[in-house]
Amino acid sequence: MLATIESGSRTDRVIAVLTELITSGRFGSGDFLPSEAELCKQLGVSRPTVRMALRTLETRGLVLTKQGVGVQVTDRTRQAVTDSIELMLLRGGAAPRDVLEVRLMLECQGAALAAQRATDDDLAAIASAIADLRNRPQGVTETVDADLRFHLRVAEASKNAVLVALAHAIRGLLRDTIAATWRVDDRTEERLQDHADVLAAVSARDPVMADAAMRAHLCRTERLIEVLREGGAIPKTSP
Amino acid sequence: MLATIESGSRTDRVIAVLTELITSGRFGSGDFLPSEAELCKQLGVSRPTVRMALRTLETRGLVLTKQGVGVQVTDRTRQAVTDSIELMLLRGGAAPRDVLEVRLMLECQGAALAAQRATDDDLAAIASAIADLRNRPQGVTETVDADLRFHLRVAEASKNAVLVALAHAIRGLLRDTIAATWRVDDRTEERLQDHADVLAAVSARDPVMADAAMRAHLCRTERLIEVLREGGAIPKTSP
DNA sequence: CGCATCCTGTTATCTGACAACTGACGTCCG
DNA sequence: CGGACGTCAGTTGTCAGATAACAGGATGCG
């Protein structure tokens, strides 16, 4: 048992203990924590207290509780980072221009890094996403998903987890806007070619060209967004 | 009242409702939410459910619950982002290198934007931060604060709220590391000159030079961090 | 052997209660 | 009259026990 006198509420102490158990590796990904009842006995607190602590750990992406099964240790910390960034931007009332600007920075630099670090698997994954997009899936939703997958794969090829989380969060904010751009059939062929250009630059291990290709692609999309916004297809409040 | 039938557990639904209330601005920073008992009545769920939801909102930095007082809406989302990234680093989902790399992107591009958009007030604020740093305050804490202030002022001069928020969150991660670099007296003069160079470039409205000056400064710091890390002054787990 | 069923263990939620804390109000004493 | 103190209502923190919902394996039957 811990020293009885510590700072914070009991819940906070339970959070600290469980977090330590997981980050120290005593419980690895996939392992199941003892049941809530067991944790109560071992920690000397009631079930609501344990549950509140577990809820915090779940929010932080350390565990995943499944009804009827148990509490499983996972590593969804990247998702947690993405979520909190998205919330921060939502709360801060991010201006559309600001979001687009930062996206441009992150994705272009990400593409440049990808050109330096992408493995063959990464290249295959990017190519696969492009193929999905070319095959023109049924609805707009599938198209947007494929588009999102392409950008995500490029970001992942940068091998920078922080950049992936940031890019992903920002993309989440732009999802509706980008969906609108795919709804119109304006210059679709050029946009598909843009994707191929990015892949070519990354495959050629040319950071400068990768940056430029991605920049050209995003700028084209931004111009399209601007047109749609003037036409009233996109509300100005959401980026 | 929302439709009673939605996906997810009741707790998830309560989380969604409360999050919406806050992000939509119905409750602003500083406001107090209704008491837990009141929320129970209005949402039609029991207190533990409400409390679990509130706990999630608290870990995400949206509210702050104080015993005997109530639940206050706050904006600690930047802290939440910093915390979750830190957790991701601890779990090995990201490397310290990733953090430094993203910082480099954001701050360099931010400096370039600042060169295009800084007002006279911004320039004065940056100069003021540099002056504070030159006057060599008493302790390391004050030095680090002044350093932080300098970088924050530059970011703010970019007039991009998203970039400011991200840069601030990332900086929070590096605070201890940067404090370590100021503890040693290695090439302090050069680093102070770096700051002046950035200000000069921004004042000259030269984006390329501003980017380069900031890049030079950050790279110098990174080299120092590398040296300290090899010497054991900085644990490798924290960036 | 295949399949439906039951059973066990788990989490999700509810109910009611009490403890601890905060802030403000009223009271008492100097 | 003024300030220190106690009291009190309202709030969050925690507990105990019970019930419902769920997943997966064991069991029994055809």
Side-chain angles (χ1 to χ4, degrees):
Chain A
M1 190 72 63
L2 290 182
T4 53
I5 299 180
E6 285 210 11
S7 66
S9 63
R10 300 190 193 190
T11 302
D12 290 338
R13 264 176 282 161
V14 173
I15 291 172
V17 169
L18 295 180
T19 302
E20 228 292 300
L21 281 179
I22 293 174
T23 56
S24 70
R26 295 268 304 272
F27 286 91
S29 282
D31 294 351
F32 278 89
L33 257 49
S35 71
E36 294 180 356
E38 186 65 26
L39 288 173
C40 292
K41 274 199 296 185
Q42 296 200 7
L43 296 170
V45 295
S46 70
R47 231 185 114 200
T49 302
V50 167
R51 284 179 59 74
M52 294 243 295
L54 287 175
R55 177 59 72 159
T56 294
L57 264 65
E58 185 163 7
T59 304
R60 291 183 173 161
L62 293 180
V63 301
L64 198 60
T65 71
K66 296 183 201 170
Q67 182 174 2
V69 180
V71 182
Q72 192 173 24
V73 177
T74 62
D75 192 356
R76 297 174 56 83
T77 51
R78 181 178 301 177
Q79 186 61 42
V81 171
T82 301
D83 290 346
S84 30
I85 292 171
E86 195 164 345
L87 211 49
M88 172 176 75
L89 298 179
L90 263 180
R91 189 107 171 72
R97 184 206 68 176
D98 295 353
V99 176
L100 291 173
E101 236 170 47
V102 172
R103 179 180 75 135
L104 198 69
M105 292 181 199
L106 293 176
E107 295 217 20
C108 292
Q109 305 265 346
L113 285 181
Q116 298 169 14
R117 298 174 184 164
T119 65
D120 290 343
D121 287 346
D122 291 326
L123 297 178
I126 296 172
S128 162
I130 291 179
D132 290 347
L133 200 50
R134 266 203 186 279
N135 292 341
R136 282 312 213 124
Q138 298 86 344
V140 174
T141 306
E142 284 79 8
T143 307
V144 175
D145 282 344
D147 185 29
L148 180 73
R149 204 154 50 239
F150 164 76
H151 286 279
L152 204 57
R153 293 277 190 277
V154 173
E156 280 169 355
S158 76
K159 305 300 177 198
N160 184 318
V162 176
L163 186 132
V164 171
L166 290 179
H168 202 205
I170 288 186
R171 278 254 148 200
L173 288 177
L174 294 172
R175 193 188 165 83
D176 291 343
T177 302
I178 291 177
T181 68
W182 282 107
R183 235 173 247 118
V184 299
D185 235 353
D186 189 31
R187 298 171 183 272
T188 299
E189 191 49 45
E190 281 94 334
R191 300 176 73 189
L192 291 174
Q193 184 57 44
D194 284 349
H195 289 182
D197 290 345
V198 172
L199 174 59
V202 172
S203 296
R205 312 285 174 191
D206 187 333
V208 176
M209 195 187 298
D211 184 306
M214 182 62 87
R215 192 172 303 268
H217 171 53
L218 295 182
C219 286
R220 188 196 300 279
T221 303
E222 283 187 27
R223 280 196 300 275
L224 189 50
I225 289 173
E226 192 55 38
V227 170
L228 290 176
R229 191 171 282 149
E230 284 169 3
I234 304 175
K236 282 193 188 285
T237 52
S238 103
Chain B
M1 192 71 60
L2 288 181
T4 52
I5 298 179
E6 286 208 11
S7 66
S9 64
R10 301 189 191 189
T11 303
D12 290 339
R13 266 176 282 159
V14 174
I15 291 172
V17 170
L18 295 179
T19 303
E20 227 291 301
L21 282 179
I22 294 174
T23 55
S24 71
R26 293 270 305 271
F27 287 90
S29 281
D31 293 350
F32 278 89
L33 257 49
S35 72
E36 294 181 354
E38 185 65 25
L39 288 174
C40 292
K41 274 199 295 186
Q42 296 200 6
L43 297 171
V45 296
S46 69
R47 233 185 109 201
T49 302
V50 167
R51 285 178 59 72
M52 295 245 294
L54 287 175
R55 178 57 73 158
T56 294
L57 264 64
E58 185 163 8
T59 64
R60 288 185 174 162
L62 292 180
V63 300
L64 199 59
T65 73
K66 296 183 200 170
Q67 183 173 2
V69 181
V71 182
Q72 193 172 23
V73 177
T74 61
D75 192 355
R76 299 175 58 80
T77 50
R78 275 199 294 244
Q79 186 62 42
V81 170
T82 302
D83 290 347
S84 38
I85 294 178
E86 195 163 0
L87 214 46
M88 180 168 73
L89 291 171
L90 266 177
R91 290 234 54 187
R97 180 207 69 175
D98 296 349
V99 176
L100 293 173
E101 242 171 39
V102 170
R103 179 181 73 135
L104 198 68
M105 292 181 198
L106 293 175
E107 296 216 18
C108 291
Q109 304 266 350
L113 285 180
Q116 299 170 12
R117 299 174 184 164
T119 65
D120 290 343
D121 286 346
D122 290 328
L123 296 177
I126 297 172
S128 162
I130 292 179
D132 289 348
L133 200 50
R134 264 205 188 279
N135 290 342
R136 282 314 212 119
Q138 299 85 342
V140 173
T141 306
E142 284 79 8
T143 307
V144 175
D145 281 343
D147 186 27
L148 181 73
R149 204 154 50 239
F150 164 77
H151 286 278
L152 207 56
R153 292 278 187 275
V154 174
E156 281 167 355
S158 76
K159 305 299 179 199
N160 185 316
V162 174
L163 189 138
V164 171
L166 292 178
H168 203 231
I170 298 270
R171 276 255 148 199
L173 285 173
L174 295 170
R175 194 187 164 82
D176 290 345
T177 302
I178 291 178
T181 67
W182 281 108
R183 233 171 247 121
V184 300
D185 236 353
D186 189 30
R187 299 171 182 270
T188 299
E189 191 50 44
E190 281 94 334
R191 300 175 73 191
L192 291 175
Q193 185 57 44
D194 284 348
H195 288 183
D197 291 345
V198 172
L199 175 58
V202 173
S203 298
R205 312 285 174 188
D206 187 333
V208 176
M209 196 186 299
D211 184 308
M214 182 63 86
R215 192 172 303 269
H217 171 54
L218 295 182
C219 286
R220 188 197 299 281
T221 304
E222 282 186 26
R223 280 196 300 275
L224 190 49
I225 289 172
E226 192 55 38
V227 171
L228 291 176
R229 192 171 282 151
E230 283 169 5
I234 303 175
K236 281 198 187 281
T237 52
S238 100

